[in-house]
Amino acid sequence: MTMTLEMASDLAEHAHRGQHDKAGRPYVEHVFAVRDLLAEHGEHAQMAGVLHDVLEDTPLTADELRRHGCPDEVVAVVESVTRRRGEPYEETIHRAAAHPLGRLVKLADNAHNSDEDRLAALPAEQAERLRDKYARAREVLEDAAPIPGHDPVTHDYGPGNRHWGHDYSFTPADGGHRGSATGWGRGIHKGDYLLLANGDRATRYRVVTIRYYTDPSDMWQAQLAFAPRERVQA
C-alpha cells in the first residue's frame, strides 16, 4: 500500500515518540510544523517534511521507509536533507540545496528552527549561535532557488568537448557529491546542468551558484552538486 500523508504523519509521530527539542518540547511538534509549512507544495513535499528527521534521529532506514510504502521520490528527498554520520553541517545544506524539493523542505525546517518564539526558550548565547547558523544556511538555500521562467539547460563539458573556449577545472568535495568548478563559456545559469568528464564518461552536476568574471568575460566560477538521477555516456 502506498503511504499517504496521514500514514507518514503517524509513522513520524511513532518514530519520534519520547524525543524532545532543545527547549524540551515534544520533537514531533517540530516535524508537524515543517509538514504544515509545506502545504502549498503538495503531498509529497509534506510527507518529506514530516519525515525529514527520521533517518537522522531514529532507527528507521530508507529501505524501511520504502517497505512502509513511502514513495521513492519522498525517500530521495528525505535522504537529501539527512545529515550523515560525521558530515559537516554545511555539506548537508549544500546537498539539500541541490535537490529542488529537498531545498524547500530544508527551508521549511530552517524557518521553524529560526522561529523567535522557539529561540526565546533557549539560553541567550545558544540562541544567538543557532540564529547565526540558520541564517548562513538559509542564504545558501535561497541562493540555490531556480531563476523564474528559466527552463534548465544541460551544457556538455564531457570528454569530446574539452577544448579551448569550452574547458574547465573541477575540485570535488563530499566524495564527489558536490564541488567547485571554473571554466569558459557563456549562457550558463543557476539551475542548469553541466556534464563533466569522468574518464570516458560524463557525470551530470547541477549548477547551484555561478558568477562570471569581468575579465575575461566568458570565464565563470560555479558551485556544483551531483545530480544522480542521470549518468550518461559521453
Side-chain angles (χ1 to χ4, degrees), residues 35 38 41 64 81 83 96 109 142 150-151 194-195 221:
R35 173 199 64 192
L38 291 161
H41 299 292
E64 287 172 328
V81 301
R83 188 175 183 182
D109 176 41
E142 291 176 345
H150 174 69
D151 293 327
L194 299 183
L195 296 179
Q221 185 176 55

Side-chain angles (χ1 to χ4, degrees), residues 30 33-34 37-38 41 52 81 89 93 96-97 99-115 134-146:
H30 168 63
V34 173
L37 286 170
L38 291 161
H41 299 292
H52 78 274
V81 301
Y89 178 71
I93 296 301
H99 191 292
L101 198 49
R103 188 183 73 86
L104 296 178
V105 170
K106 203 62 183 174
L107 277 170
D109 176 41
N110 184 287
H112 192 244
N113 282 332
S114 302
D115 186 285
Y134 297 142
R136 285 184 281 109
R138 187 163 56 253
E139 182 177 354
V140 172
L141 294 165
E142 291 176 345
D143 280 349

Side-chain angles (χ1 to χ4, degrees), residues 153-171:
V153 175
T154 298
H155 304 269
D156 190 353
Y157 280 67
N161 287 314
R162 296 201 69 174
H163 53 78
W164 173 251
H166 209 66
D167 201 2
Y168 68 91
S169 62
F170 177 63
T171 303

Side-chain angles (χ1 to χ4, degrees), residues 180-229:
S180 59
T182 301
W184 290 262
R186 300 297 298 177
I188 302 172
H189 299 281
K190 180 173 64 175
D192 283 354
Y193 295 95
L194 299 183
L195 296 179
L196 302 186
N198 183 8
D200 61 349
R201 300 176 65 87
T203 301
R204 191 178 75 157
Y205 287 85
R206 181 172 180 268
V207 179
V208 179
T209 63
I210 186 167
R211 69 180 181 89
Y212 280 90
Y213 289 87
T214 303
D215 184 21
S217 62
D218 60 346
M219 186 177 182
W220 50 261
Q221 185 176 55
Q223 295 298 317
L224 308 177
F226 180 44
R229 289 171 297 170

